[in-house]
Amino acid sequence: MIARRDLLAGGAALAALTPMAGMAIPPELRFTVIRNGGDIGQHVITFRQDGDTLLATVAVEIALRLGPIVLFRYSHSVRETWRAGQFAALESTTNDDGKPYQVHAVRSGDQVVVEVAGTPRQVLSTS
């Protein structure tokens, strides 16, 4: 089971990097996911700046194993678009140990419209 705080660790880093005037965005942030002292996966965030548009791509791959047997698998991919320092859109797919779901979010005026397919435990942005 992936705890909310585990996924928020990378999100805190992304939030700290939200584009500000004159701020350089690194091309990539890479985290090792550790549980009980052992590496169980990777959390990678890549950034691409194009004018006032920032594209952040998140990839999380986690597998808990007992020897060669996988007991739990989690994969999560997100593509976020930010324009002029404001959230614009998000597309994500997640496989939570065989339970797939997708999230689509888009800014519409002062609101963000979110559509969810599947049954995630919770929906939150990692940024």
Side-chain angles (χ1 to χ4, degrees):
M1 192 74 51
I2 305 302
R4 177 180 171 181
R5 66 186 154 99
D6 297 334
L7 289 177
L8 291 178
L14 182 57
L17 296 171
T18 300
M20 297 178 192
M23 183 177 164
I25 303 296
E28 179 179 273
L29 295 173
R30 183 174 293 270
F31 304 92
T32 299
V33 180
I34 298 172
R35 180 174 187 264
N36 296 331
D39 294 0
I40 62 167
Q42 294 289 314
H43 183 157
V44 180
I45 307 169
T46 57
F47 302 95
R48 192 183 81 209
Q49 186 83 43
D50 184 12
D52 71 345
T53 300
L54 175 67
L55 179 64
T57 305
V58 178
V60 179
E61 294 292 334
I62 296 171
L64 292 175
R65 299 176 183 275
L66 181 60
I69 300 169
V70 176
L71 301 174
F72 173 83
R73 185 176 307 276
Y74 180 89
S75 63
H76 178 65
S77 63
V78 181
R79 179 183 165 116
E80 287 189 29
T81 305
W82 293 73
R83 288 194 185 91
Q86 287 194 327
F87 173 81
L90 173 143
E91 293 287 335
S92 78
T93 59
T94 303
N95 185 329
D96 187 353
D97 204 29
K99 297 176 199 117
Y101 56 93
Q102 298 81 38
V103 176
H104 169 79
V106 65
R107 176 176 291 282
S108 178
D110 291 340
Q111 300 179 358
V112 175
V113 178
V114 179
E115 296 175 13
V116 179
T119 55
R121 290 186 306 266
Q122 58 190 345
V123 176
L124 53 101
S125 171
T126 55
S127 59

